[in-house]
Amino acid sequence: MDWLRDNLWATWLGLAALLSVAEMFSLDLVLIMLAVGALAGMTAALIGLGIPVQVLAAAAASVAMLALVRPSLAKRFHGGPELNLGHGKLVGQRAEVTAEITGLSTGRIKIGGEIWSASPYDEHLVIAPGETVEVLQIKGATAYVHPVARLDG
């Protein structure tokens, strides 16, 4: 019992190692935060503080890690990149008009090496071939576009 009291830091270190290994199986970033708390308890034991102070240090560090560090880490690790797949990736891109676009007749644009049918987002616009447009929306196989302003200098 004297050895345990004299080497309480080793108990804290063992607890931190055990929690770290358990975290590898759970992967929810809770046990690793508790392991950091155990390391704070170990530090308090190495300094020579009493057992109640060690427990308070471990608890305070664990709660602080769970409240301050875990949310941002969980968001970073569990969230993936925003992927635009299919025709959604064309929204916001620029295209070249290949056939006149009016509110009354569907025209054509070339975007991403493909020809798409296109209508003006504002049905009162007429967009001539050769103009650059921005894709604002895709409905079915039709791109709704708006002309991009030119700076003729």
Side-chain angles (χ1 to χ4, degrees):
M1 193 67 167
D2 289 334
W3 181 89
L4 185 61
R5 187 175 50 240
D6 293 339
N7 297 302
L8 197 53
W9 66 270
T11 305
W12 286 108
L13 182 61
L15 180 60
L18 182 69
L19 289 168
S20 298
V21 169
E23 176 63 39
M24 286 191 256
F25 294 103
S26 72
L27 296 176
D28 58 355
L29 301 174
V30 172
L31 297 176
I32 196 70
M33 302 300 153
L34 298 177
V36 171
L39 291 176
M42 180 192 78
T43 303
L46 284 172
I47 294 172
L49 300 174
I51 292 175
V53 176
Q54 294 172 27
V55 171
L56 284 174
S62 295
V63 168
M65 292 293 288
L66 286 168
L68 302 175
V69 177
R70 185 184 180 278
S72 64
L73 282 179
K75 186 188 299 183
R76 181 176 289 162
F77 289 144
H78 293 212
E82 191 72 28
L83 297 177
N84 290 327
L85 299 174
H87 65 268
K89 67 183 176 184
L90 300 177
V91 173
Q93 291 193 11
R94 294 186 178 194
E96 182 183 346
V97 177
T98 58
E100 184 177 69
I101 303 170
T102 67
L104 299 174
S105 66
T106 303
R108 300 268 185 240
I109 60 170
K110 185 172 185 176
I111 184 167
E114 297 178 340
I115 301 293
W116 279 73
S117 59
S119 291
Y121 196 74
D122 179 359
E123 63 188 36
H124 302 294
L125 289 177
V126 175
I127 307 170
E131 286 196 47
T132 302
V133 293
E134 182 178 353
V135 178
L136 299 179
Q137 185 178 21
I138 304 255
K139 286 185 184 176
T142 303
Y144 289 85
V145 299
H146 191 75
V148 175
R150 282 193 198 173
L151 296 176
D152 294 329

